[in-house]
Amino acid sequence: MKATDTYLKSTDKVDLTSMIDVVFLLLIFFMVTTTIVKQESDISFQLPTSVPAAADTPLPEEHLLDILPDGSILLNGAPAGEPVNNALPELEAVLLQIRESSERAGFQTLILINPDDNTDQQSIINVLNACVASKVTSVTFASSE
Amino acid sequence: MKWELEQTDDEPDLTPMIDIVFLLIVFFMTVASVVTAKRVEIKAPIATNSIIAETQENRKAASLKSDGTIYYEGAEVSVDDLKAHLSDSLGGNPAMQLLLRIDIGTAYSDTRDLMAACAEVGAVNIIFTTYQTDK
């Protein structure tokens, strides 16, 4: 074998080392700068409006639900449970009973939520979560005025 | 030339590794751009019965941090600015839903003021942002 042949053969392959260096650097950069975000989910309701309802709309059965700053619940003024791991099992049971009994009587159940000024968002969401669990669909916030 | 033959056999084939590394780079680049898309960082409350929306269409997002600052579509706004933005959006689409991304520690007094402003301009279809689990 001639010396030139060997030379050509060895330079035939592209040297990948520097490219791999750069690619690894990019990989590490993007891994460090990426923060995986948690997927957000929804709980929806309607705010009260000043639009008058149609005359023949049946009046719903209203229940006032106070949320105290510590997250405990008053349903129509009576204690209705405290949060356990962001859930309100007592309130869920009571709401389910209320909804079923008013459904049998042909009424819709409307829950008016009235949180204390210092109540945090988690306590409010706990109540909305309980409403979803007991399939109460008409939920709104009481206006302070 | 036995020595030369051994040397060429020694070199590992790097092609599959480069394939995988490129794939990872593309993945992290895509995820990184998703994260930076118009979202203010908040810690949402947990609601196990919440649902993950199939579509993000037909909704606008406003965020409320625990210190009471309001963000609309990624930029900090005053209550009056927010009202103006919402009226504009509602003019083009009366059925618009408003996603309120409220931090877990926000006091209700701030939440109430924000909701009052929304109701004033007619944005009554409200969605609260939550996480389904605490993990």
Side-chain angles (χ1 to χ4, degrees), chain B residues 33-63:
Chain B
S33 63
V34 167
V35 170
T36 50
K38 294 202 279 187
R39 278 282 156 108
V40 181
E41 207 174 300
I42 58 145
K43 188 171 184 287
I46 294 144
T48 47
N49 296 315
S50 55
I51 46 167
I52 290 171
E54 284 171 11
T55 170
Q56 296 292 319
E57 283 170 30
N58 198 31
R59 57 165 74 173
K60 296 278 181 196
S63 306

Side-chain angles (χ1 to χ4, degrees), chain B residues 30-99:
Chain B
T30 326
V31 174
S33 63
V34 167
V35 170
T36 50
K38 294 202 279 187
R39 278 282 156 108
V40 181
E41 207 174 300
I42 58 145
K43 188 171 184 287
I46 294 144
T48 47
N49 296 315
S50 55
I51 46 167
I52 290 171
E54 284 171 11
T55 170
Q56 296 292 319
E57 283 170 30
N58 198 31
R59 57 165 74 173
K60 296 278 181 196
S63 306
L64 177 63
K65 287 197 171 184
S66 51
D67 59 1
T69 47
I70 304 169
Y71 296 80
Y72 182 71
E73 299 283 302
E76 190 176 342
V77 290
S78 67
V79 178
D80 291 327
D81 287 341
L82 179 73
K83 280 195 216 169
H85 283 305
L86 288 179
S87 319
D88 279 355
S89 307
L90 282 164
N93 177 14
M96 181 194 83
Q97 290 179 306
L98 181 63
L99 180 72

Side-chain angles (χ1 to χ4, degrees), chain A residues 10-28:
Chain A
S10 62
T11 49
D12 243 5
K13 274 200 178 174
V14 186
D15 186 12
L16 293 174
T17 322
S18 46
M19 193 194 72
I20 293 168
D21 284 355
V22 171
V23 165
F24 266 121
L25 203 84
L26 281 172
L27 180 65
I28 289 164

Side-chain angles (χ1 to χ4, degrees), chain A residues 120-132:
Chain A
D120 61 16
Q121 180 70 3
Q122 178 67 58
S123 308
I124 298 167
I125 292 292
N126 289 346
V127 170
L128 290 175
N129 197 38
C131 292
V132 176

Side-chain angles (χ1 to χ4, degrees), chain A residues 1-2 5-7 9-10 13-14 16-17 19-20 22-28 30-49 85-87 92 113-126 128-134 141-144, chain B residues 1 4 8 11-12 14-15 17-18 21-22 24-25 27-29 31-32 34-35 39-40 42 44-53 55-56 59 97 99-112 115-116 118-119 122-135:
Chain A
M1 206 176 262
K2 274 192 277 180
D5 278 356
T6 343
Y7 176 74
K9 213 175 180 182
S10 62
K13 274 200 178 174
V14 186
L16 293 174
T17 322
M19 193 194 72
I20 293 168
V22 171
V23 165
F24 266 121
L25 203 84
L26 281 172
L27 180 65
I28 289 164
F30 281 112
M31 278 176 73
V32 170
T33 53
T34 303
T35 43
I36 306 288
V37 278
K38 275 207 275 184
Q39 189 168 28
E40 294 180 350
S41 53
D42 292 354
I43 271 196
S44 65
F45 61 94
Q46 284 218 330
L47 286 177
T49 49
N85 284 332
N86 298 324
E92 275 176 34
I113 302 176
N114 183 32
D116 187 273
D117 269 5
N118 298 315
T119 305
D120 61 16
Q121 180 70 3
Q122 178 67 58
S123 308
I124 298 167
I125 292 292
N126 289 346
L128 290 175
N129 197 38
C131 292
V132 176
S134 50
F141 283 81
S143 50
S144 47
Chain B
M1 280 239 184
E4 198 192 61
T8 48
E11 260 186 33
L14 293 175
T15 323
M17 191 194 73
I18 294 170
V21 168
F22 266 121
L24 282 172
I25 286 192
F27 168 75
F28 281 111
M29 278 175 75
V31 174
V34 167
V35 170
R39 278 282 156 108
V40 181
I42 58 145
I46 294 144
T48 47
N49 296 315
S50 55
I51 46 167
I52 290 171
T55 170
Q56 296 292 319
R59 57 165 74 173
Q97 290 179 306
L99 180 72
L100 290 185
R101 301 175 68 247
I102 299 176
D103 193 275
I104 190 167
T106 309
Y108 179 65
S109 48
D110 290 331
T111 310
R112 186 192 52 216
M115 290 198 295
C118 298
V124 292
N125 292 313
I126 305 289
I127 302 166
F128 277 153
T129 290
T130 59
Y131 297 136
Q132 279 183 328
T133 58
D134 53 1
K135 291 195 180 62

